[in-house]
Amino acid sequence: MKYLVTGGAGFIGSHVVDALIECGEEVHVIDNFLTGKRERVNKSAIIHEADIRSSEEITPLFQGVDGVFHLAAQPRMQFSIDHPKLTNDINVTGTLNVLLAARDAGGKRVVYSASSSAYGPNHPMPLHENMVPEPVIPYAIQKRVGEQYCAMASRFYGLETVCLRYFNVYGPRQ
């Protein structure tokens, strides 16, 4: 199968790329290398240096793709407070562009990397999926909007979406 991984040069994305390649899949990576590192990308992956903020740039790359793992984001919370427009363009507009490109290419599924930050600071620990999201930081709001766009793409475009809210991810290449 052919998979596309946005943010495949990032910490988590590069591990997803490795796992897919270990399964024998054809893997394409979209990354603009603002935060990702080229040396993280598995040599068997096909790299497309492109920016998810540009639908014209990324849409052709979705042709023939069986599945998409959308990990591209500007993840730093303080950075999102200091630069809310830039992070919104990447995290919200970029996500919408990925969903529409997948739809237009006849894609079947997009796995979206959401964030536990969507729960906000007002919930007692431990957090669980049944809690109502209450994001307050721009990054958290943006990731929550991405989840809502995924739900919209499923409802109106028939694109199967899965949102994964990560908690405290760490490991090699971090």
Side-chain angles (χ1 to χ4, degrees), residues 12-72:
I12 300 171
S14 65
H15 287 283
V16 171
V17 169
D18 286 347
L20 291 168
I21 287 173
E22 286 175 22
C23 290
E25 309 299 353
E26 177 183 341
V27 181
H28 292 253
V29 169
I30 294 178
D31 208 298
N32 63 8
F33 299 100
L34 285 177
T35 59
K37 294 183 171 79
R38 195 174 295 273
E39 60 269 16
R40 287 182 180 152
V41 182
N42 190 302
K43 302 289 186 237
S44 296
I46 300 162
I47 299 173
H48 305 276
E49 188 167 348
D51 194 316
I52 62 170
R53 292 175 287 177
S54 170
S55 59
E56 295 81 16
E57 203 173 328
I58 66 167
T59 297
L61 304 176
F62 284 74
Q63 294 303 313
V65 169
D66 295 297
V68 176
F69 290 86
H70 177 40
L71 293 109

Side-chain angles (χ1 to χ4, degrees), residues 72-92:
Q74 181 51 258
R76 298 186 321 248
M77 290 195 198
Q78 185 60 50
F79 189 86
S80 76
I81 293 168
D82 297 339
H83 306 280
K85 172 124 176 48
L86 173 62
T87 57
N88 189 81
D89 289 347
I90 295 168
N91 297 338
V92 176

